Amino acid sequence: MSTFIYRDHTLYAEQVSVAECVRQYGTPLYIYSQSALSNNYFAYARAQERIKVCYAVKANSNIRVLNILAGLGSGFDIVSGGELARVIRAGGNCRNVVFSGVGKSSREICAALQADILSLNVESEMELDAIADCARHTHIQAPISFRINPNIKAATHPHLSTGKESDKFGLHPEQALALYEKAAGQKELSIVGISSHIGSQIFKAAPLEQMLNELLDIVDRLKANGIALKLINVGGGLGVCYRDEQPLSIGQYISTIEKKIAGRDLTLLVEPGRSIVASAGILVTQVQYIKKSATHKFAVVDAAMNDFMRPILYNNFHKISTVQEAHPRKKLPYHIVGPICESADFFGSNYMLALASQDLLAIHDTGAYGFTMSSNYNSRPRAAEVMVHGKEHMLIRERETHDSLWHNEWAPAQ
Ligand code: LLP
């Protein structure tokens, strides 16, 4: 059940009127639903007993979002020292944190060791050496997993593929096997698991199952050599419906994995991002002007590509609807564009809408990779964020001001 629904022809986030939120907080405005977040989280967490859900922080790193997920028992997949700091600030348990990414700096590795995280997912031999150095330096044994690149095509947008040989991520299985042997001989390293993540917005089970088979083959080969792993991390990547895509059933996906790992003493770890937060958020924007050219009708709105860049970056469709339904005006095809000085600044083409200046629009399924990918391009302060829970709403990030634009910048004395 969607948590963004129309009642009396006006859009609600749970039991809060979107128009009411806008009156209080202005536009552009990200609105998130706490119930949607927890329902999406439990789709994974209730699917299996021995599962650790490590939510991928990059999808939405607002501290309140992390705090709610931590409260539900979630762990976290991080890719930077900044994300680790956010998890700690949000009250997350670092024993449930895994650290992915090809370019962890020594400073980030040391911070992760000091925070006592569950696993560093190693992506190259040089990184393994850097982790061993940090472990010696901090006198903290480093828990490691190797991230495998199984050379599998995930049938997604090329920017979202991470499991092909030509992608920068992970290690070839043979290379990983050699590095497991190398790590096994180093007392400052503790081998805990194996991981992989072949891409994002995936709709077919076959490539994910193929990846799991690859991982299990390595697990078995290591066991035969006396290296027993505790964790198997199959990454994130399950797709969500933006237009008419058919997402995989999370329950079925997890139970397929469960069957395959049954009999082995392994804890299953998943790193979902999008499938937890995408449907839990909308971006609300106001129409400034309606403009007609010889060929097109444009609705110029007050949000822009700096607030939400998925449509232009991945050519991704997002549903757009008016906050007030059942307008008496006739529906016409509009290009929805922002105020930024680039033709790339658009949210979509030919949306059939009945529009006038000042109308509010909701861009749907923007909870994932929305605010986290926003910027200050064109010196636009970033949007505010609000969390809704039942009848309550709470500002969880203030709208930036002009002062916050040059907060860290040299400026002449006034
Ligand atoms: N684990 C690792 C190691 C990852 O790199 C990612 C995403 C995830 C988990 C979470 O994947 P998800 O469940 O969200 O698909 N900005 C793009 C998505 C980039 C995903 C990068 N890695 C977008 O807006 O579609």
Side-chain angles (χ1 to χ4, degrees):
M1 192 193 79
S2 169
T3 41
F4 296 98
I5 44 168
Y6 286 88
R7 263 187 247 138
D8 298 329
H9 306 295
T10 187
L11 186 62
Y12 276 75
E14 301 195 22
Q15 292 166 54
V16 175
S17 147
V18 168
E20 183 50 45
C21 271
V22 167
R23 267 191 286 282
Q24 198 160 335
Y25 306 111
T27 53
L29 182 68
Y30 276 98
I31 302 180
Y32 308 122
S33 151
Q34 185 165 340
S35 322
L37 266 185
S38 74
N39 289 341
N40 292 342
Y41 169 79
F42 282 117
Y44 284 94
R46 290 214 182 101
Q48 217 246 66
E49 248 172 50
R50 278 192 314 157
I51 191 170
K52 269 187 195 290
V53 181
C54 290
Y55 163 70
V57 173
K58 61 172 82 68
N60 186 324
S61 59
N62 183 286
I63 288 177
R64 180 62 183 147
V65 170
L66 303 183
N67 171 261
I68 289 168
L69 290 170
L72 300 175
S74 184
F76 298 96
D77 164 53
I78 58 164
V79 289
S80 71
E83 288 190 349
L84 175 63
R86 279 185 175 273
V87 168
I88 294 171
R89 190 67 188 81
N93 176 357
C94 288
R95 285 303 302 146
N96 290 329
V97 167
V98 295
F99 195 168
S100 313
V102 289
K104 305 172 196 77
S105 69
S106 292
R107 184 187 284 198
E108 289 174 320
I109 295 166
C110 288
L113 294 180
Q114 271 146 358
D116 193 21
I117 72 165
L118 178 62
S119 176
L120 289 129
N121 296 340
V122 185
E123 307 219 12
S124 65
E125 180 163 15
M126 280 181 87
E127 188 195 350
L128 180 68
D129 295 341
I131 292 173
D133 281 346
C134 292
R136 277 188 290 273
H137 180 71
T138 55
H139 305 287
I140 303 170
Q141 197 186 37
I144 57 161
S145 303
F146 287 95
R147 176 168 172 178
I148 307 301
N149 181 325
N151 193 21
I152 291 170
K153 204 166 176 238
T156 183
H157 188 283
H159 290 181
L160 304 184
S161 157
T162 52
K164 289 201 314 279
E165 239 165 24
S166 51
D167 298 324
K168 68 179 174 183
F169 299 98
L171 288 154
H172 186 279
E174 294 306 324
Q175 212 182 353
L177 281 163
L179 292 183
Y180 272 109
E181 295 293 341
K182 174 172 169 176
Q186 291 178 258
K187 62 179 182 325
E188 54 277 1
L189 301 173
S190 149
I191 297 171
V192 293
I194 188 162
S195 83
S196 193
H197 170 80
I198 58 171
S200 195
Q201 192 59 345
I202 297 172
F203 294 99
K204 295 224 160 39
L208 293 163
E209 285 177 26
Q210 204 185 330
M211 174 252 286
L212 181 60
N213 291 340
E214 279 282 351
L215 295 187
L216 289 175
D217 179 57
I218 298 171
V219 169
D220 294 342
R221 285 169 70 184
L222 288 171
K223 196 163 184 203
N225 286 348
I227 299 175
L229 305 184
K230 293 191 266 258
L231 295 176
I232 184 160
N233 177 348
V234 295
L238 292 203
V240 302
C241 173
Y242 288 116
R243 188 202 293 256
D244 51 11
E245 304 90 333
Q246 295 288 317
L248 289 168
S249 145
I250 292 170
Q252 267 173 27
Y253 171 61
I254 301 293
S255 81
T256 311
I257 300 178
E258 193 185 12
K259 280 191 202 113
K260 283 196 192 253
I261 66 170
R264 294 180 174 89
D265 197 15
L266 289 170
T267 296
L268 173 64
L269 209 144
V270 286
E271 299 172 348
R274 189 191 313 270
S275 47
I276 291 194
V277 282
S279 66
I282 57 171
L283 171 60
V284 188
T285 180
Q286 186 170 43
V287 177
Q288 302 299 293
Y289 305 114
I290 302 286
K291 167 171 178 169
K292 291 179 189 144
S293 73
T295 50
H296 292 81
K297 283 178 209 40
F298 297 99
V300 184
V301 299
D302 66 355
M305 64 191 283
N306 76 296
D307 298 302
F308 186 58
M309 65 189 307
R310 299 200 71 259
I312 186 61
L313 195 55
Y314 311 111
N315 195 20
N316 203 106
F317 173 89
H318 283 259
K319 284 179 198 141
I320 300 181
S321 65
T322 48
V323 168
Q324 300 295 338
E325 244 188 357
H327 240 287
R329 286 187 295 272
K330 201 171 136 217
K331 288 189 176 174
L332 297 167
Y334 285 100
H335 287 9
I336 314 291
V337 300
I340 281 185
C341 295
E342 290 215 25
S343 292
D345 184 22
F346 76 88
F347 293 114
S349 315
N350 292 319
Y351 281 87
M352 290 305 291
L353 294 165
L355 288 184
S357 167
Q358 309 303 307
D359 280 356
L360 295 175
L361 295 179
I363 309 178
H364 293 260
D365 305 305
T366 45
Y369 307 109
F371 190 91
T372 46
M373 293 178 72
S374 67
S375 75
N376 291 122
Y377 186 41
N378 273 209
S379 283
R380 289 171 49 86
R382 268 178 292 190
E385 293 174 288
V386 165
M387 181 65 70
V388 165
H389 185 36
K391 292 184 173 150
E392 311 289 321
H393 49 94
M394 179 170 106
L395 184 64
I396 57 171
R397 193 181 208 272
E398 280 179 18
R399 182 175 307 288
E400 288 181 350
T401 61
H402 287 163
D403 275 340
S404 47
L405 290 177
W406 51 77
H407 179 64
N408 301 320
E409 193 171 320
W410 177 88
Q414 273 183 329

